[in-house]
Amino acid sequence: GKDIVFLKVAQDHEGYPSNSTTLLSEKIICLKAFDAREPNNSNSGRREYGNGRYIHSNIRQWLNSSELSWYKSQHSADEPPIKDNLYSGDNPYDSEKGFMANLTSELRSAILPTSLKVLKNDKDGGGLESFTDKIFIPSCTELGLDNKTSYEEGNKFDYFKRNSDRVAYPTKESIDNNTYTSDNLSTSKGWNWRTRTPNSSSSLPNFVCSVKSVGSLDTFSAYSGRQGIRPALNVDSDVLVSDSPDTDGAYVVTYNTPPTIDGEDKDLEGLEVTGYWNKE
């Protein structure tokens, strides 16, 4: 029920859609597991601790769904993020509506599909795999963090130059709506948040890279629901915004509509005009 404030982290970013502006949520908007444990998976790591492969992850599917019931099995061993499939049962989200259902229809239509890359764990063959989404979470490469391989998952955002640029704070709502309790979970303290990058060399392909509360690199098992989520997206740079910031200090996306004419008289020649609208 609250507005999401986004940071502009890139403009016409290399490899992204032309004439696009890249936005990343300023704060951690929720705490969620990357993926649930998969009791029927043949790999012991994924069986016990969840799947660290982004293209199969629960979080990717949730972020890109506008459905009230967003979960659909992605592979034969896939499982939803129910309480029993998450570490200590923290923050199940199988019954939540998809993330995009929270956005206005105008904003959903303005989001551009983006071609992205992500590492594969060595157990999955290593290297990179490509996919296209509207909503995503950043890679280590995009955030200026070392993914411990020679592969680059896209291109670095100019916005991130040092650890302090990666420090993120939870919103009050993300704390109120989560089931995990910690003295360090506060709107005034940095908290860890997910990337889409797996720990590709781990023998257990359930570990996923995260950003520490101080902005450096960390890893957590996929099935932990205690890590923050910061959605990213690209919009057409021609989308209009307000002329001045609101009380949050943010410029608000606006949608102009043509004026309507009342009555039968369509001859407006010579009529004094006190305002105008921009068809662009």
Side-chain angles (χ1 to χ4, degrees):
K2 298 290 185 180
D3 290 338
I4 300 174
V5 177
F6 288 92
L7 295 172
K8 176 182 170 182
V9 295
Q11 182 77 37
D12 295 323
H13 191 60
E14 184 178 352
Y16 280 6
S18 60
N19 194 40
S20 65
T21 299
T22 305
L23 305 177
L24 174 70
S25 67
E26 178 188 30
K27 296 183 178 181
I28 292 165
I29 64 165
C30 57
L31 274 61
K32 281 180 166 51
F34 187 89
D35 192 72
R37 63 160 58 100
E38 300 173 344
N40 297 315
N41 200 304
S42 59
N43 181 276
S44 61
R46 289 171 172 164
R47 190 162 59 241
E48 296 296 328
Y49 309 113
N51 197 326
R53 190 171 180 178
Y54 186 69
I55 65 165
H56 291 160
S57 66
N58 295 152
I59 197 64
R60 179 196 175 201
Q61 187 181 168
W62 175 76
L63 285 170
N64 285 278
S65 176
S66 58
E67 303 296 323
L68 297 182
S69 298
W70 60 269
Y71 175 77
K72 296 177 179 63
S73 179
Q74 303 294 293
H75 56 90
S76 60
D78 198 21
E79 294 287 340
I82 62 175
K83 185 175 182 180
D84 289 347
N85 288 337
L86 303 177
Y87 178 67
S88 296
D90 291 327
N91 295 318
Y93 60 103
D94 59 298
S95 61
E96 289 187 22
K97 59 186 176 183
F99 171 72
M100 290 187 73
N102 297 292
L103 307 180
T104 64
S105 59
E106 292 90 350
L107 181 55
R108 285 200 300 268
S109 65
I111 299 173
L112 301 172
T114 301
S115 298
L116 300 153
K117 296 178 181 179
V118 65
L119 281 176
K120 288 195 296 185
N121 185 276
D122 291 345
K123 294 289 185 181
D124 297 315
L128 295 168
E129 55 188 341
S130 300
F131 62 99
T132 299
D133 280 342
K134 283 195 166 185
I135 311 289
F136 55 96
I137 51 179
S139 68
C140 281
T141 302
E142 289 166 337
L143 296 173
L145 292 168
D146 184 5
N147 64 17
K148 309 298 183 182
T149 77
S150 60
Y151 296 101
E152 294 187 350
E153 303 164 286
N155 296 282
K156 181 179 176 295
F157 298 141
D158 290 338
Y159 183 88
F160 297 101
K161 296 179 173 63
R162 58 190 71 85
N163 282 347
S164 59
D165 297 331
R166 290 183 286 266
V167 174
Y169 300 87
T171 62
K172 180 180 183 298
E173 291 74 28
S174 70
I175 297 173
D176 292 344
N177 293 326
N178 104 95
T179 63
Y180 171 61
T181 302
S182 170
D183 291 339
N184 288 321
L185 187 55
S186 165
T187 58
S188 61
K189 296 180 180 180
W191 191 252
N192 54 74
W193 52 286
R194 295 280 191 184
T195 77
R196 66 175 182 265
T197 303
N199 184 340
S200 62
S201 62
S202 172
S203 59
L204 296 176
N206 55 274
F207 286 105
V208 184
C209 295
S210 296
V211 180
K212 283 184 180 181
S213 60
V214 293
S216 55
L217 182 66
D218 206 350
T219 59
F220 288 94
S221 283
Y223 83 137
S224 172
R226 300 178 178 181
Q227 283 66 54
I229 301 298
R230 297 179 70 187
L233 52 91
N234 282 300
V235 294
D236 192 307
S237 295
D238 290 335
V239 167
L240 298 177
V241 296
S242 57
D243 291 332
S244 56
D246 64 5
T247 55
D248 291 321
Y251 292 85
V252 181
V253 175
T254 60
Y255 302 96
N256 278 0
T257 56
T260 58
I261 301 174
D262 294 329
E264 298 297 324
D265 189 359
K266 301 297 191 298
D267 183 7
L268 303 181
E269 185 176 355
L271 184 67
E272 290 188 8
V273 178
T274 57
Y276 69 93
W277 66 283
N278 186 344
K279 70 177 181 179
E280 299 299 322

